[in-house]
């Protein structure tokens, strides 16, 4: 079976303002199996977000290959990569990225609306997910009335709506207090389990990193061999 995600000798460099370039990722190689959970740790600027952006097809490597479910993203056009991302990847960010003028339910339903999917199946999926995170009764409330922890739970539902095989979370608890962070992490891990999705999450918390199957550390763009979580 194809890995959920694989990097083959991925380098990512950014041009510097003068001349020359800076490595954000250097010769990164790995494979993540379906359902596997990986914590990515490392200092600020070590390349964690860059790795997730390449995995999501938001950006492309300078050299090397990124494979998701047996497809090499470098062979897709930008439009195809956008469609791929909507279908195959669930993204969760530190600052939630919800649309504040929409209701809780509409925020979760957004990926289906963009894909032109309406109707009962989509509705039922929204309710199912909101029930799972304990927010079904807030479905019609404006999302801006929610607390930070609640907003992140909504963002997790949105990410899962279309049943992606790959979940990517960039410091999902970075803007939450300990208690809410723990709740969000627990939900993220158990929902990834329920859905059989692979999960890569960036965290600065050793406690949360230990919840993963493996912990990988980035050192100045180099991936240090993973330690078991
Ligand atoms: N668009 C860009 N242009 C130029 N340099 C960039 C760009 N994006 C990232 N970088 C550089 O690449 C390196 C890795 O950045 P990245 O955002 O991946 O780090 P990070 O590990 O996520 O850090 P943090 O923990 O602070 O979020 C940094 O040196 C950063 O300055
Ligand atoms: Mg980052």
């Amino acid at each position: 079976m194809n890995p959920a995600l694989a990097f083959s000798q991925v380098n990512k460099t950014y041009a510097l303002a003068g001349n020359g370039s800076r490595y954000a990722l250097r010769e990164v190689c790995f494979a993540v199996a379906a359902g596997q959970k990986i914590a990515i740790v490392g200092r600020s600027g070590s390349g964690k977000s860059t790795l997730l952006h390449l995995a999501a097809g938001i950006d492309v490597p300078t050299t090397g290959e990124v494979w998701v479910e047996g497809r090499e993203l470098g062979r897709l056009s930008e439009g195809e990569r956008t469609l791929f991302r909507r279908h195959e990847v669930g993204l969760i960010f530190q600052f939630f990225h919800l649309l504040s003028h929409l209701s809780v339910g509409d925020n979760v339903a957004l990926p289906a609306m963009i894909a032109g999917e309406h109707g009962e199946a989509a509705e039922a999926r929204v309710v199912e997910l909101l029930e799972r995170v304990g927010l079904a009764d807030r479905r019609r409330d404006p999302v801006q009335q929610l607390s930070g922890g609640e907003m992140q739970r909504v963002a997790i539902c949105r990410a899962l709506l279309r049943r992606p095989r790959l979940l990517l979370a960039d410091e999902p608890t970075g803007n939450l207090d300990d208690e809410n962070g723990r709740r969000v992490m627990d939900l993220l891990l158990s929902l990834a389990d329920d859905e059989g999705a692979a999960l890569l999450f960036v965290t600065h918390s050793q406690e949360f990193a230990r919840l993963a199957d493996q912990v990988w550390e980035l050192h100045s763009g180099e991936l240090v061999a993973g330690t078991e979580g």
Side-chain angles (χ1 to χ4, degrees):
M1 204 163 82
N2 289 318
L5 171 68
F7 276 36
S8 170
Q9 290 182 298
V10 167
N11 287 286
K12 180 69 183 177
T13 56
Y14 289 110
L16 295 175
N19 49 30
S21 58
R22 175 204 305 275
Y23 272 90
L25 291 178
R26 205 185 273 271
E27 294 292 310
V28 173
C29 290
F30 63 77
V32 177
Q36 217 181 358
K37 298 178 200 70
I38 309 291
I40 299 169
V41 301
R43 294 166 69 155
S44 179
S46 59
K48 305 181 298 295
S49 295
T50 303
L51 190 153
L52 292 195
H53 288 163
L54 297 184
I58 293 168
D59 203 352
V60 290
T62 309
T63 62
E65 295 175 353
V66 174
W67 294 78
V68 178
E69 299 276 333
R71 259 192 293 177
E72 200 228 313
L73 301 192
R75 292 200 194 140
L76 306 181
S77 68
E78 205 164 319
E80 286 169 336
R81 277 210 315 278
T82 301
L83 285 177
F84 146 82
R85 191 159 55 243
R86 284 185 198 151
H87 285 271
E88 316 275 345
V89 184
L91 288 165
I92 296 145
F93 304 94
Q94 181 175 357
F95 296 106
F96 324 133
H97 293 196
L98 298 171
L99 295 183
S100 56
H101 57 284
L102 294 184
S103 69
V104 167
D106 283 350
N107 265 282
V108 176
L110 205 62
M113 291 181 196
I114 289 170
E117 289 167 10
H118 301 278
E120 278 173 30
E123 282 276 285
R125 177 73 173 155
V126 170
V127 173
E128 173 201 339
L129 286 166
L130 284 173
E131 273 170 1
R132 187 70 176 75
V133 304
L135 289 171
D137 58 336
R138 306 296 298 272
R139 187 169 155 217
R140 291 178 209 289
D141 289 350
V143 80
Q144 58 199 349
Q145 287 178 3
L146 301 188
S147 72
E150 290 167 343
M151 285 189 193
Q152 193 61 301
R153 278 141 62 196
V154 172
I156 290 170
C157 292
R158 181 187 56 188
L160 285 165
L161 186 77
R162 307 197 69 220
R163 300 186 168 84
R165 311 313 301 147
L166 179 62
L167 288 173
L168 303 170
D170 199 348
E171 297 189 50
T173 64
N175 203 37
L176 304 177
D177 62 37
D178 286 355
E179 190 189 328
N180 276 299
R182 224 166 270 129
R183 174 142 198 221
V184 159
M185 230 23 261
D186 286 345
L187 274 169
L188 194 52
L189 289 162
S190 64
L191 280 162
D193 263 341
D194 294 352
E195 305 274 326
L199 168 67
L200 276 75
F201 65 96
V202 170
T203 183
H204 289 286
S205 155
Q206 293 199 359
E207 177 195 344
F208 297 156
R210 275 196 295 271
L211 301 172
D213 300 321
Q214 288 181 16
V215 183
W216 295 351
E217 189 169 350
L218 277 166
H219 270 293
S220 307
E222 285 185 53
L223 192 61
V224 177
T227 48
E228 295 301 314

